[in-house]
Amino acid sequence: MNHTEIDTLVKKWIVEAADKPANPRVQQVVVRLLGDLCKTIEDLDLTPNEVWSGISYMAAAGAANELGLLAAGMGLEHFLDLRADEAEAKAGLSGATPRTIEGPLYVAGAPESVGFARLDDGSESDRAEVLFMQGTVFDADGRPAPGAQVEVWHANLMGNYSFFDQSQSHFNLRRTIVADEQGRYQFRSILPVGYGCPPDGTTQQLLNLLGRHGQRPAHIHFFISADGHRKLTTQINIDGDAYLWDDFAFATRDGLVPAITRIGDPAQLDALRLDQPYASIDFDFHLSRDSAALPTALVERPRATA
């Protein structure tokens, strides 16, 4: 069957079969996706067993709540970032902190504080390296942005996230920091580690068939928001990680790998009531002014709420 014949069939099934007003956008997308799928089946001579195996796989991935992980692993989420970059470049926006993927593990409603927050609950203090991270949020004119909202979240030393890992305390390693009058933020936490997809999960199952690993380098997620500016979704990666530039989710980007300084000065340790050297990361966030001419930076997608 040639592509023209397939297009005719799909139009008959989706457009001509409609017996009441359709949503034009949904209809347009379904016609394209179904047509491309049918052409793939024809061009690659997929068997019915292969087609139904694919349908069963998608059902299993949905039931396991791994479709968000799959979207990251297949590069789909990174592709959306590249399209957003292109749209902003065409609009003349430049100089903002690079965006990168959100991932599937954000939880709304983290406790809020001004200027400073401690993220960790102390449960891993005996094994973890203390981290202090600080910087300034700058607006589109390069001025500090008091009141900007810095939402931050990351994994524990087992590579797990609170809420999804019921063994952790409520909102462990998750906070919302409101930038102070100088646009500054700072938090104390633990230096996170990298982790991989669930080894027996549906995402890793497909990655195995594709000859790919499912590992992520250690990283820390951020949402940065300020009035009149585009919401920034990004993350910084921990320098030195073995998978730093080999992230299965393709999220590592230039400008998002800050230097880590180890602080061991006794006076500084004493001021912070620490008895071991700690890691320190300086990182500023730069925002872009919002514009009605651009697609919204507020992405609507299913997210957990504790």
Side-chain angles (χ1 to χ4, degrees):
M1 190 178 299
N2 62 44
H3 286 194
T4 300
E5 291 172 322
I6 290 174
D7 287 336
T8 299
L9 280 174
V10 171
K11 182 180 178 181
K12 177 181 178 181
W13 298 333
I14 304 302
V15 179
E16 297 174 7
D19 57 4
K20 58 184 178 182
N23 181 303
R25 182 61 169 171
V26 172
Q27 189 181 73
Q28 178 189 35
V29 172
V30 170
V31 166
R32 176 62 179 268
L33 290 177
L34 181 59
D36 287 350
L37 177 59
C38 290
K39 290 168 187 174
T40 299
I41 292 170
E42 182 68 25
D43 294 348
L44 300 183
D45 194 23
L46 297 185
T47 67
N49 284 346
E50 289 174 321
V51 173
W52 284 106
S53 178
I55 293 171
S56 296
Y57 172 81
M58 294 303 293
N65 199 28
E66 283 201 22
L67 288 176
L69 191 61
L70 184 65
M74 294 299 102
L76 178 60
E77 196 170 0
H78 179 56
F79 178 70
L80 297 177
D81 284 341
L82 295 177
R83 293 193 75 240
D85 289 348
E86 185 178 52
E88 291 183 357
K90 287 180 178 179
L93 298 182
S94 63
T97 299
R99 63 166 49 81
T100 195
I101 70 170
E102 173 185 336
L105 299 171
Y106 170 79
V107 177
E112 182 177 300
S113 59
V114 176
F116 173 84
R118 179 167 177 173
L119 275 57
D120 69 298
D121 61 8
S123 61
E124 296 180 303
S125 296
D126 59 333
R127 296 178 291 124
E129 183 175 9
V130 173
L131 168 67
F132 279 87
M133 181 168 170
Q134 54 277 319
T136 301
V137 181
F138 290 98
D139 66 18
D141 296 315
R143 298 175 300 198
Q149 192 174 74
V150 178
E151 296 180 76
V152 52
W153 69 101
H154 67 80
N156 69 358
L157 295 184
M158 299 297 291
N160 298 323
Y161 287 77
S162 60
F163 180 84
F164 301 94
D165 171 17
Q166 295 297 316
S167 70
Q168 296 186 50
S169 63
H170 208 52
F171 285 116
N172 186 40
L173 305 173
R174 300 177 185 274
R175 288 296 186 274
T176 297
I177 305 169
V178 178
D180 67 16
E181 293 180 356
Q182 287 76 47
R184 300 273 301 170
Y185 77 92
Q186 184 185 49
F187 62 81
R188 173 181 170 171
S189 192
I190 59 173
L191 199 68
V193 299
Y195 56 87
C197 296
D200 298 322
T202 54
T203 302
Q204 190 59 56
Q205 176 188 349
L206 179 56
L207 290 172
N208 289 341
L209 294 172
L210 294 172
R212 291 182 50 204
H213 70 75
Q215 298 297 312
R216 294 220 61 202
H219 57 279
I220 301 174
H221 293 270
F222 296 92
F223 283 157
I224 313 294
S225 307
D227 290 344
H229 290 75
R230 293 178 66 74
K231 182 177 181 178
L232 173 65
T233 299
T234 194
Q235 57 188 265
I236 60 108
N237 284 0
I238 304 304
D239 198 10
D241 192 287
Y243 291 96
L244 181 61
W245 296 103
D246 189 23
D247 180 3
F248 102 101
F250 312 104
T252 307
R253 309 192 74 178
D254 289 335
L256 296 177
V257 188
I260 303 176
T261 303
R262 260 67 188 199
I263 308 295
D265 176 68
Q268 291 178 271
L269 296 179
D270 186 61
L272 295 171
R273 298 182 179 179
L274 296 176
D275 56 12
Q276 296 290 334
Y278 66 93
S280 179
I281 295 176
D282 294 314
F283 194 83
D284 296 333
F285 295 100
H286 296 263
L287 302 179
S288 293
R289 186 170 287 106
D290 207 359
S291 169
L294 286 168
T296 179
L298 299 175
V299 178
E300 294 183 7
R301 55 181 284 185
R303 295 184 176 94
T305 302

